[in-house]
Amino acid sequence: MPQVGVLQARPREVGAGELGAREVRRPFAAGRAARGVLDVDRAQLRAGQPIRLFKSHHPDYVDGGQLRDFIFVDDCVAVMLWLLDQPQVNGLFNVGTGKAESFRDMIKAMFKALKRPEKIEYIEMPENIRGQYQYFTQADITKLRGTGYTRPMTPLPEAVRDYVQGYLYARPQSPEAVEALLHRSPQS
């Protein structure tokens, strides 16, 4: 099965002829950090426990309102394939949606995709990251668009729905199949 996920667009310097990405999240990864926010424990959802997001410690952002430019991996692949077909285009490009959205909005989209009521709990951000935590990241895709790349990026709710229903829960064919998978034991 191909590894897919949601990329959090944050630029990284790369050499000529290389593609670089940071914050790659994919299902079925061994560590929580590699899986990302959407790859929550099914047992946690079955038990009706809330999804936990950080409280804000910044006056301009509400709890769960920290913003990221979440991009669906399919959109990143589409950009890479387009670049391969455009030999005249070269350089370093930020790849993202160009639109920062909140962690809260992403989790609300997850609950909607699962047809479950929203249940979010805001927890304290660890002291050791508060001073360096980024509340806003958004890719500037002006340069990419200037090369002629015009395909729209997948809206967050649609990307989350596809990711949750199509990959995190063993490629079910319907929301009902997602619900059935939520009620399986972790060993099944």
Side-chain angles (χ1 to χ4, degrees):
M1 169 179 276
Q3 293 294 313
V4 298
V6 176
L7 291 178
Q8 178 179 323
R10 285 172 48 189
R12 176 175 88 104
E13 286 190 37
V14 294
E18 296 179 20
L19 284 169
R22 294 192 58 195
E23 301 293 329
V24 177
R25 308 295 193 208
R26 63 191 192 281
F28 318 116
R32 169 76 177 152
R35 289 194 312 264
V37 177
L38 289 177
D39 194 6
V40 298
D41 187 347
R42 286 190 296 223
Q44 183 180 349
L45 288 172
R46 276 196 312 270
Q49 296 173 348
I51 300 302
R52 295 184 189 117
L53 296 177
F54 286 141
K55 289 181 180 179
S56 175
H57 290 273
H58 190 292
D60 295 339
Y61 297 88
V62 299
D63 294 344
Q66 301 90 332
L67 300 171
R68 297 289 184 272
D69 186 341
F70 297 106
I71 183 167
F72 192 38
V73 72
D74 290 4
D75 293 330
C76 291
V77 171
V79 169
M80 289 186 263
L81 292 173
W82 182 84
L83 286 168
L84 285 171
D85 287 340
Q86 309 299 318
Q88 75 283 4
V89 175
N90 58 57
L92 296 175
F93 300 95
N94 285 331
V95 178
T97 64
K99 178 182 178 188
E101 299 187 69
S102 74
F103 281 98
R104 183 182 57 251
D105 289 341
M106 183 172 60
I107 294 302
K108 285 182 172 190
M110 179 197 72
F111 280 116
K112 184 174 182 180
L114 293 172
K115 295 188 175 182
R116 291 188 164 262
E118 294 172 12
K119 198 168 188 181
I120 302 171
E121 175 185 347
Y122 298 101
I123 61 172
E124 290 297 327
M125 185 180 296
E127 290 274 347
N128 63 329
I129 67 169
R130 284 183 193 173
Q132 60 196 12
Y133 188 82
Q134 292 183 310
Y135 280 82
F136 177 87
T137 60
Q138 178 175 287
D140 179 354
I141 60 172
T142 306
K143 184 176 175 185
L144 176 65
R145 293 294 188 203
T147 66
Y149 188 79
T150 59
R151 180 178 168 188
M153 302 301 180
T154 307
L156 183 64
E158 185 180 327
V160 168
R161 184 187 67 241
D162 188 86
Y163 181 72
V164 168
Q165 293 179 357
Y167 298 105
L168 288 184
Y169 295 100
R171 298 188 153 286
Q173 300 301 310
S174 68
E176 293 75 22
V178 171
E179 187 65 25
L181 284 168
L182 281 172
H183 293 287
R184 287 190 336 193
S185 69
Q187 292 81 19
S188 40

